[in-house]
Amino acid sequence: MKHLLTILLLSVWPLLAQASPALRSDVIADLNALQAQLQEGALASVVERATAQAERLSGGNQADRWASALYQQLAAGALVRQEQPGAAADRLAIARQLSGVDSSQASRWLREEASLRRAAGQRDEAIELFTQWLDGAPAGDQAHTAMWQLTRLLAQQERWEEAASWLDQALEPISESNEALSEEQQTLVMVVYRNAGQSDQALAHLLEGLDVNSDASDWRQAAGLAQQAGQAGIAAGLWEMAWQLGKLTQSEDRWLLIQLHLAGGTPARAAEHLDQALQAGDVVRDESNLRLLASAWQQAKHVENALNAWHAVALYTQSPADWRVYGQLAYAWGEEEQAKQAFARASELGDDEAEAWLASFN
């Protein structure tokens, strides 16, 4: 609110001297007096006097209408100090729409009105005004700031696609200058792109800020966005990097790492992590985990490790079906001796199919 007040206060003085319709000396003196009262805090009297003068002059000649607009601006400044941004915005709306106000000043008041509507919680009105102002605004810091304000307003109204469109424009100068986003801006980028269904865009910006000093939550968020964007391999790579950096250390983190590698097309890394955990005793050596290890090595087409893992499964379960599967894989990979032994054990355990496989060796 203080920032808005500064804008409204500072813009009155130069307007008295700019190339607009010449004002009468008594009007200039009155405006200056009201300006002084405003700075001294005589807010109620400024609003009352400025309102009366603005209404009296609004139907006069071009100079009178210009003076009326300036009185409305003074009233707006007093209303801002009274913490009435909505009422202040109403005054600027009247001022900028008076005939006789040049287009450049009307544009400045339009932007200030948009900010006041935003401060008043009048989001839809603020969105409309910011959009209108940006349509004709030149590129620059003010336009860039307004884009971020408009993006946030649209996000608050859950108008995600529109927010994403303006966000694209707001990010352009930042991308060109390699300027770092603030924490608040980064959060807004994530929220808008994710809700707009543009997880790949969100991921791209998040990856730019990831480094060894990033928090575990940042790595988790990046991996989650990669999954949402259908980039399972990238998700696995991000989780792997975070694991290696010591950002993720919990048992559930390890299990998700294994699952991500399986989904991301790197089953050998999944198998390596699971094998390490089994050997270290961090994971229970039960049927489920042994079977997962065997499946991972099989997906990776690592013949020796896959056969050893399936052999371990069969030894653990003593299931004829598992011995047969072990034998079939050994046969398919040209390991006939292992295949014969596996089929023989399956046959001993009563597997009829194994008998047929054994017969094929004769």
Side-chain angles (χ1 to χ4, degrees):
M1 189 70 71
K2 290 182 180 179
H3 174 66
L4 292 173
L5 175 60
T6 301
I7 292 174
L8 292 168
L9 282 176
L10 293 180
S11 57
V12 173
W13 293 101
L15 290 180
L16 295 175
Q18 76 175 33
S20 294
L23 301 179
R24 299 194 312 269
S25 60
D26 62 317
V27 170
I28 293 175
D30 191 45
L31 286 167
N32 284 335
L34 286 177
Q35 177 78 70
Q37 290 180 41
L38 178 60
Q39 291 178 316
E40 292 168 1
L43 306 180
S45 61
V46 169
V47 172
E48 182 179 0
R49 172 65 179 174
T51 300
Q53 288 288 75
E55 292 175 351
R56 182 178 68 83
L57 296 168
S58 62
N61 59 28
Q62 189 173 6
D64 287 343
R65 293 192 299 272
W66 173 235
S68 177
L70 294 178
Y71 277 115
Q72 292 288 9
Q73 185 182 18
L74 279 170
L79 288 166
V80 168
R81 279 200 173 185
Q82 291 177 319
E83 298 187 358
Q84 299 181 51
D90 291 340
R91 298 308 185 97
L92 290 186
I94 295 171
R96 66 183 177 82
Q97 292 169 11
L98 284 169
S99 61
V101 175
D102 68 77
S103 59
S104 61
Q105 180 56 45
S107 176
R108 285 191 288 272
W109 279 335
L110 174 62
R111 178 173 53 83
E112 291 174 10
E113 182 191 345
S115 296
L116 286 167
R117 299 289 182 198
R118 176 170 173 259
Q122 298 172 7
R123 293 173 183 168
D124 289 330
E125 293 87 344
I127 288 170
E128 182 179 350
L129 294 171
F130 272 125
T131 302
Q132 183 180 341
W133 182 76
L134 283 166
D135 284 343
D141 291 343
Q142 288 183 338
H144 191 223
T145 299
M147 286 178 190
W148 281 103
Q149 292 173 326
L150 178 54
T151 298
R152 182 169 295 282
L153 284 167
L154 288 164
Q156 289 170 340
Q157 297 301 88
E158 298 185 0
R159 293 161 61 173
W160 301 115
E161 291 185 5
E162 295 172 75
S165 178
W166 281 108
L167 181 56
D168 288 340
Q169 297 181 58
L171 287 170
E172 282 180 11
I174 292 178
S175 299
E176 293 172 359
S177 64
N178 293 321
E179 180 184 346
L181 294 176
S182 68
E183 184 176 346
E184 183 181 12
Q185 289 173 326
Q186 189 71 269
T187 300
L188 184 59
V189 169
M190 294 301 105
V191 170
V192 169
Y193 279 142
R194 290 181 71 171
N195 282 283
Q198 299 181 24
S199 295
D200 51 346
Q201 287 282 77
L203 177 61
H205 287 283
L206 187 56
L207 289 178
E208 291 177 0
L210 274 182
D211 56 33
V212 295
N213 297 316
S214 297
D215 293 335
S217 59
D218 295 327
W219 289 96
R220 292 179 192 278
Q221 187 176 33
L225 285 170
Q227 284 184 288
Q228 290 180 19
Q231 300 180 30
I234 292 178
L238 288 167
W239 209 262
E240 177 73 32
M241 180 65 73
W243 180 267
Q244 297 297 336
L245 289 171
K247 304 292 182 179
L248 306 172
T249 58
Q250 300 303 310
S251 175
E252 55 268 26
D253 295 329
R254 185 203 302 271
W255 279 114
L256 185 52
L257 175 60
I258 292 168
Q259 295 300 325
L260 285 173
H261 275 303
L262 289 173
T266 47
R269 289 297 294 144
E272 288 170 359
H273 281 291
L274 180 53
D275 193 33
Q276 291 170 7
L278 285 166
Q279 292 187 33
D282 296 333
V283 169
V284 178
R285 190 177 182 82
D286 59 13
E287 178 184 350
S288 175
N289 291 332
L290 289 174
R291 198 176 292 280
L292 180 61
L293 179 63
S295 177
W297 283 125
Q298 183 179 341
Q299 288 181 49
K301 294 182 172 58
H302 194 297
V303 176
E304 181 180 358
N305 288 349
L307 291 179
N308 288 340
W310 273 111
H311 187 208
V313 171
L315 285 172
Y316 187 91
T317 66
Q318 289 299 318
S319 162
D322 287 332
W323 281 105
R324 176 168 29 87
V325 169
Y326 166 42
Q328 289 170 333
L329 284 173
Y331 183 83
W333 285 331
E335 300 291 336
E336 291 191 2
E337 190 59 36
Q338 287 189 60
K340 285 181 183 179
Q341 294 175 7
F343 289 136
R345 180 56 181 156
S347 178
E348 290 174 6
L349 292 171
D351 189 89
D352 295 334
E353 289 187 45
E355 289 286 347
W357 279 97
L358 280 173
S360 67
F361 289 99
N362 300 324

